[in-house]
Amino acid sequence: MSDQPEQPTLTDGEVTLRPWRDDDVDEAVAGHDEVIAHWFGWPADGVTAERMQRAIRDWRTGYADDRAVIAFAIEVDGTLAGSVDVRRREAGVGELSWALYSGRRGRGVATRAVRLLADWSLTDAGQGGLGYSRVEAKVEPGNEASLRVATRAGLRREGVRRVEPGTGDRAETTSYVVLARLAGDPPLSEPTAFRALLNSFLPRKRAISQLLVRDDAGRVLLCQLTYKRDWDLPGGVVEVGESPRLAAAREIHEELALDLEAGDLVLTDWLPPWGGWDDAVCLVFDGGTHDPALVDTMVLQTREIRSAEFVTLEQVRERCADFTARRIETAIGNAQAGLSSYVESGSSPTTA
């Protein structure tokens, strides 16, 4: 006999989460389709009445076993719409999973169900909840519908966890998006919570800041890098929360020990994915014109920089990748004319 409290019924007025009943079996079997089978890694005809009966027994056992697994039937207008459960993974942490049956999707039911279960799981035990400090979900990146459900239910995207093929839910699974809510997160109704939620999953594009530094003869300062064969302008990746202009000055100080200010923005260059790198936006700032003896004061950061020197445009074309040479030539032209422009891979979008 279990000493656990009776499994509750949860509702928001439209969606109800209730314990599974033996007479749910036929309706549940009928609701499973190829979509559910695909994402759970089951055969298309893998859910039978016998398997569903066994699942209900296992869920009851999991509840009796210190509520290690708590599964609910999702009910809408008195009919079965799907399932949702939370499994304790470690002390204070539960993992959410859900499935909505054929003909029930696209109406916000899954979002309401996941939110209901997450709210109850994070509610203090003294107030009738599970008292978890964290609930999380793992969703394959290609499962866009479930990603939307998790996000709309208030789970923030935290990152991507890679897995070896054959060790996930499906043989071909290679990664999961991890999303979570904490007990201390502000209520979803508050603007700060909504902004934090959006910030967790909106695209973040890498930004690179570079300095265009020239000498009195019109040559441009280039760096020979340790992590690629081609030469490039001094600069690097903008840190989170950092001004791109300050990043350009910081990078040239770290790489070459030069204290130069970043002037006007002379070029914005979008770089498509290349050589294992994701796409990025490269911002080139004017680093001014200096005496050629500037190179004598440099102290190279040898972890990233092999050498650095002022070179002619002809040498730029010889030493740089084609798109880098185009970027530098355009940046020089803009700096000389007091202009700023946008290009893609070093060329105007109309001619790229």
Side-chain angles (χ1 to χ4, degrees), residues 16-57:
T16 297
L17 307 186
R18 60 165 175 78
W20 283 90
R21 301 191 297 252
D22 292 335
D23 60 5
D24 288 325
V25 170
D26 290 342
E27 198 172 358
V29 171
H32 282 81
D33 62 0
E34 294 83 358
V35 174
I36 298 175
H38 173 77
W39 291 114
F40 280 88
W42 300 332
D45 58 353
V47 179
T48 63
E50 182 181 359
R51 180 172 178 175
M52 196 65 215
Q53 289 167 348
R54 186 167 61 250
I56 292 175
R57 289 197 300 269

Side-chain angles (χ1 to χ4, degrees), residues 92-161:
V93 178
E95 181 178 313
L96 301 167
S97 181
W98 60 91
L100 214 59
Y101 295 154
S102 176
R104 295 292 189 168
R105 303 181 189 115
R107 305 175 188 176
V109 173
T111 297
R112 287 177 173 271
V114 173
R115 183 178 295 181
L116 266 173
L117 184 51
D119 287 346
W120 180 66
S121 299
L122 295 171
T123 298
D124 188 78
Q127 298 177 350
L130 287 180
Y132 283 169
S133 60
R134 171 187 172 90
V135 290
E136 60 187 32
K138 58 180 180 65
V139 181
E140 288 195 49
N143 192 347
E144 296 180 0
S146 287
L147 288 173
R148 287 194 295 270
V149 167
T151 299
R152 291 169 181 171
L155 277 69
R156 300 184 196 178
R157 177 171 175 151
E158 295 184 338
V160 176
R161 185 176 73 216

Side-chain angles (χ1 to χ4, degrees), residues 7 188 226:
Q7 183 174 340
L188 297 179
T226 61

Side-chain angles (χ1 to χ4, degrees), residues 53 57 96 100 133 167 169 200 264 267 287 291 296 321 342:
Q53 289 167 348
R57 289 197 300 269
L96 301 167
L100 214 59
S133 60
T167 63
D169 293 332
S200 76
D264 293 335
L267 186 67
D291 189 288
D296 298 329
Y342 169 81

Side-chain angles (χ1 to χ4, degrees), residues 220-252:
V220 62
L221 182 63
L222 284 189
C223 294
Q224 184 183 25
L225 307 174
T226 61
Y227 50 87
K228 64 179 182 179
R229 291 179 298 176
D230 304 313
W231 293 55
D232 209 338
L233 294 173
V237 175
V238 181
E239 300 292 344
V240 175
E242 182 181 35
S243 154
R245 186 189 299 273
L246 294 179
R250 173 185 56 75
E251 282 286 340
I252 201 168

